[in-house]
Amino acid sequence: MDADLSLDAGAGPRAAGVAVAGPAEDALRAWVASARADLLAVRERVDALNVFPVADSDTGTNLYLTFARGAQEVDGVVRGAGAGDVAAALVRGTLLGARGNSGAILAEYLRGLARAVAEDEPATVDGAAAPDGAGGLDVGRLVDAFAAAARGARGAVQDPVAGTVLSAADAAARGAREVLAAGAHVPRAVDVTAGALRAAQEETARSTGKLDVLRRSGVLDAGALGLCVVLAALHRVLGGEVSEADGMLGSVGGVRVGTGNGTATGTADAQACVVVPHAAAPEEAAGGEFEVMFVLRAPAPVDDDVARGLRADLAALGDSVVVTGGAGTWQAHVHTDEPARAVAAGRRRARTVRGAVRQAGVRSVLGGDAHAAGQSRTGIVVVTSAPGLAPEYARAGAVVLVLEPGAVAEPDDVARAVVDARAGQVLVLPGRALGAQGFGARLAALVDGEPLVRGRVDVLDAPTDLHAVAALAALQTSGDGPEGPDATAVMRVAAAAVRAGAADLRGVPPHRLAGRLRALVADVVGPSTEVVTVLRGRRVPGRADTLVEDAVGETAPGAEVVVIASGRDDAGVEVGAE
């Protein structure tokens, strides 16, 4: 860890020191480019400081990926379209690309901050016309935007916690307002960003003393540091200066991060703050073992009752609940022990507004350091329509994409999961999507050039969940696990050996049930079968399990029968033989 943390804060590409005095669109584009580069440069060091809400070492990565998705949208806006279109693209991209608790909060923060350039009417300060600042940004609107950003970020979180990025956002809003209140001169936009940045830095320097888990680990809040990076980029683009005074671990967002004598210390000068990053012992995930994120989309704009209701639904299932967005599109995040119920809650809420859930992803938040050291392992992405299998897939180390029954994965959703696997090479089990024309080529094009995908991305022919279950089971029992050099070969051989069949028992009369299941088993089970996996929907009659076991016993008396609940609300039965 120390070697990674000793990297200079300015390492990597960045747009530091660029002063843009042109239109607001140019200033906004320059800020987006600078912040994206800066977040990438500090990603690993911020990851190493991440202990809250869980110590999964990914806050820096999540902030970078969230902002990078917004920057990608901005890159697609034709130059000259105007600041409003650029701001809208940034907001849209960060919302859809949000990763983790920190990324979801950042996306909502940027929605508020975008008001500085996205509104057409002149802003006022205390009833008088507000002056313009560098980059064409209206000063009064900029001050209001810092306040709106802080309110929005706090409002998106079900249970706000002091000492986190939310406190830094509140401080930035106060700092911006105080510049206007000082009244010594007519302020410029760069004066406002200077006040906001310094206040956020000072609050970040105090974060260790405000949150027990930060105090015990001797670190600053990683999310607050990330916000300082974003605000520092904005300040530089408007012509301001951000000190990168050397600390033993360099400076992140103008806040010095260094090592000392075993205690966290800070001063009123945030740029002289020194913090001791200890290797924090992994803690129990208080709200749950799994992180669940999904996008809820409605066909027409609806009110914020959707977000409020969804926050309440998810809060009943776990913690770290964030729901961000609006105007028909929301991104939801929760840590929970019940990922299937969390996805189901999103789908129920979507039905109330005639909408749908997309990008429903599940991953384990335990053992998070595997991501930080993941370049030596094989990452796994599994696409499934069986939410009941998501916990076991995730425990096996997979990033899980949960689809509606009958749906086929879109390449862009799978590409997001590939990036989230954060491994030297990634093996994708896309289900029926593999049969879609051009799927492999489209997936390859989407991940090509992504900085966090540094190795091969292979696609495994696993058309059903039965194939995926067998492949992951083989990997777990091979002794190598995802770190082994032959992980891909082990899974490929296991999946190829599966014979699978399915039956829909809906409407089958009770007196015909045994015959229907016996025929299904006969199609796939042979005398040499060793393991039979049965995947059953919630509406399958209870005695079907016994009937399948009896049918297997007639053909392969020594075979082990494993019954798994699919979590689907149907009467489907799938049988796989190995």
Side-chain angles (χ1 to χ4, degrees), residues 341-366:
R341 290 185 63 191
V343 174
R347 289 174 176 168
R348 283 195 306 273
R349 189 63 59 175
R351 286 194 292 271
T352 66
V353 290
R354 300 187 303 280
V357 164
R358 276 197 58 190
Q359 294 179 196
V362 178
R363 71 174 184 91
S364 173
V365 297
L366 301 183

Side-chain angles (χ1 to χ4, degrees), residues 262-495:
T263 59
T265 61
T267 71
D269 181 357
Q271 295 180 17
C273 170
V274 179
V275 174
V276 188
H278 296 294
E283 300 189 4
E284 290 294 324
E289 180 182 355
F290 306 99
E291 177 185 72
V292 178
M293 294 194 75
F294 56 81
V295 171
L296 190 160
R297 278 183 159 167
V302 292
D303 61 34
D304 285 341
D305 285 345
V306 172
R308 286 192 292 269
L310 188 52
R311 286 188 200 103
D313 294 342
L314 296 178
L317 300 173
D319 70 1
S320 296
V321 174
V322 183
V323 179
T324 179
T329 303
W330 295 267
Q331 177 81 252
H333 173 279
V334 64
H335 288 167
T336 178
D337 285 329
E338 303 177 276
R341 290 185 63 191
V343 174
R347 289 174 176 168
R348 283 195 306 273
R349 189 63 59 175
R351 286 194 292 271
T352 66
V353 290
R354 300 187 303 280
V357 164
R358 276 197 58 190
Q359 294 179 196
V362 178
R363 71 174 184 91
S364 173
V365 297
L366 301 183
D369 284 344
H371 275 171
Q375 296 307 314
S376 64
R377 59 187 278 275
T378 298
I380 301 167
V381 173
V382 179
V383 177
T384 180
S385 63
L389 290 175
E392 295 310 315
Y393 285 152
R395 288 190 184 109
V399 176
V400 188
L401 187 61
V402 184
L403 304 181
E404 291 273 13
V408 176
E410 294 292 335
D412 55 344
D413 292 341
V414 178
R416 172 189 168 106
V418 167
V419 174
D420 289 344
R422 300 169 201 173
Q425 61 177 350
V426 180
L427 182 62
V428 179
L429 287 68
R432 294 189 299 118
L434 185 58
Q437 185 174 8
F439 174 84
R442 290 173 63 193
L443 177 61
L446 286 166
V447 300
D448 183 42
E450 167 55 54
L452 302 191
V453 179
R454 302 175 184 174
R456 291 180 52 185
V457 177
D458 294 321
V459 179
L460 177 65
D461 187 5
T464 73
D465 279 298
L466 296 167
H467 294 82
V469 167
L472 282 167
L475 184 64
Q476 296 302 302
T477 58
S478 68
D480 287 338
E483 290 75 22
D486 299 322
T488 299
V490 167
M491 295 178 70
R492 199 179 298 279
V493 169

Side-chain angles (χ1 to χ4, degrees), residues 199-288:
Q201 291 170 333
E202 291 174 346
E203 183 64 28
T204 299
R206 292 190 289 266
S207 62
T208 306
K210 291 190 173 184
L211 197 56
D212 284 345
V213 65
L214 301 180
R215 185 183 301 109
R216 290 195 303 271
S217 301
V219 297
L220 295 173
D221 181 69
L225 279 170
L227 180 63
C228 288
V229 171
V230 173
L231 297 182
L234 177 60
H235 184 53
R236 278 198 312 272
V237 161
L238 294 180
E241 294 184 359
V242 177
S243 171
E244 298 291 354
D246 290 335
M248 290 181 67
L249 300 180
S251 173
V252 176
V255 180
R256 188 182 297 179
V257 181
T259 58
N261 60 4
T263 59
T265 61
T267 71
D269 181 357
Q271 295 180 17
C273 170
V274 179
V275 174
V276 188
H278 296 294
E283 300 189 4
E284 290 294 324

Side-chain angles (χ1 to χ4, degrees), residues 89-131:
L90 177 64
V91 170
R92 179 174 61 251
T94 53
L95 173 61
L96 295 177
R99 301 308 211 281
N101 183 73
S102 55
I105 292 172
L106 176 63
E108 187 65 31
Y109 186 86
L110 293 173
R111 287 185 74 221
L113 202 58
R115 288 181 54 187
V117 292
E119 297 177 358
D120 293 328
E121 68 275 10
T124 62
V125 178
D126 296 330

